[in-house]
């Protein structure tokens, strides 16, 4: 089953797991950018770093299908622009949505994030398509937490940093201390047994 969202993948996953037991999870509209209103601010509130964080959140919560809304910008000619709320609030008819490919067909920083993310998911497709998720009880510094995706083809441990600063630490995995560095407000995947 699918849900529309931008953030809070764990909450969306809980809802889908409750309603549709043992079914694949997906996002029908993953809002990686947003439209602009006439006279309004430029749509740039969703940064590439946030996009990367949210993509890994989706994976760590078992989402295996992601449909980007929007992936590229464009132009709606004549009076085909949308309306938001109210009679006199209109969206622009020419937009780039602050997405991966702008309306001039130029890749943006979000494109680079998604290119890396897609390479990662393609490499580990067998792991993610036949996996179970679980919270991990690892000894981590405060404001860090871990989730695990495990399948017969390997495992990925997603360490999430909720701090406003980079963290350098180590974690004990199968009797071995594994050092890691994770940026502020980021998710670090650790791939094992692939």
């Amino acid at each position: 089953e699918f849900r529309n969202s931008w953030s809070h993948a764990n909450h969306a996953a809980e809802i889908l797991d409750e309603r549709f037991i043992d079914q694949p999870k997906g996002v029908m509209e993953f809002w990686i950018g947003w439209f602009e209103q006439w006279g309004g601010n430029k749509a740039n509130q969703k940064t590439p770093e946030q996009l990367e964080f949210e993509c890994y959140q989706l994976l760590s919560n078992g989402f295996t299908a992601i449909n980007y809304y929007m992936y590229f910008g464009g132009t709606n000619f004549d009076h085909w622009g949308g309306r938001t709320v109210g009679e006199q609030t209109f969206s622009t008819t020419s937009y780039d949505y602050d997405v991966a490919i702008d309306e001039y067909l130029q890749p943006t920083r979000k494109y680079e994030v998604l290119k890396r993310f897609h390479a990662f998911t393609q490499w580990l497709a067998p792991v993610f398509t036949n996996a179970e998720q679980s919270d991990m009880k690892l000894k981590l510094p405060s404001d860090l937490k871990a989730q695990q995706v495990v399948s017969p083809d390997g495992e990925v441990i997603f360490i999430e940093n909720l701090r406003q600063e980079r963290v350098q630490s180590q974690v004990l995995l199968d009797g071995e201390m594994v050092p890691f560095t994770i940026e502020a407000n980021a998710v670090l995947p650790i791939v094992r047994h692939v």
Side-chain angles (χ1 to χ4, degrees):
E1 187 58 34
F2 288 75
R3 291 198 48 97
N4 297 340
S5 71
W6 157 246
S7 59
H8 307 294
N10 58 339
H11 179 67
E14 287 172 5
I15 291 171
L16 291 175
D17 286 341
E18 185 178 290
R19 294 180 185 169
F20 305 98
I21 298 170
D22 295 328
Q23 296 295 312
K25 292 186 281 285
V27 180
M28 182 55 73
E29 290 183 10
F30 183 45
W31 304 312
I32 67 171
W34 205 245
F35 60 86
E36 298 172 356
Q37 295 179 350
W38 285 110
N41 295 328
K42 179 168 175 45
N44 61 1
Q45 65 270 34
K46 297 174 179 178
T47 67
E49 294 78 15
Q50 288 171 312
L51 173 59
E52 185 171 48
F53 179 87
E54 296 301 338
C55 284
Y56 285 121
Q57 285 290 303
L58 289 172
L59 276 183
S60 69
N61 282 280
F63 285 85
T64 55
I66 303 169
N67 181 49
Y68 301 102
Y69 185 87
M70 303 288 293
Y71 196 86
F72 61 90
T75 300
N76 295 324
F77 294 102
D78 198 22
H79 300 290
W80 293 98
R83 182 176 289 159
T84 54
V85 178
E87 289 296 316
Q88 298 301 316
T89 306
F90 298 95
S91 298
T92 59
T93 58
S94 182
Y95 58 91
D96 72 14
Y97 271 66
D98 183 41
V99 291
I101 299 175
D102 70 18
E103 73 174 306
Y104 304 105
L105 302 179
Q106 298 301 307
T108 67
R109 287 181 52 223
K110 287 182 179 179
Y111 176 83
E112 296 303 321
V113 165
L114 293 175
K115 184 178 173 182
R116 281 192 316 272
F117 178 71
H118 294 161
F120 179 77
T121 57
Q122 185 176 11
W123 172 48
L124 295 170
V127 174
F128 293 124
T129 54
N130 187 25
E132 294 183 17
Q133 316 87 246
S134 65
D135 290 331
M136 289 195 74
K137 305 298 183 219
L138 297 176
K139 187 174 180 180
L140 294 168
S142 64
D143 295 329
L144 269 63
K145 67 178 189 175
Q147 285 185 278
Q148 180 183 38
V149 173
V150 178
S151 85
D153 296 301
E155 74 175 304
V156 181
I157 299 167
F158 294 92
I159 298 179
E160 181 180 341
N161 179 8
L162 300 176
R163 293 183 185 182
Q164 299 297 315
E165 59 189 24
R166 175 187 302 169
V167 173
Q168 293 181 317
S169 188
Q170 54 189 1
V171 63
L172 183 63
L173 298 172
D174 295 336
E176 180 184 345
M177 291 305 285
V178 177
F180 66 89
T181 300
I182 183 170
E183 297 298 323
N185 298 305
V187 176
L188 175 69
I190 297 175
V191 179
R192 301 173 23 130
H193 311 299
V194 174

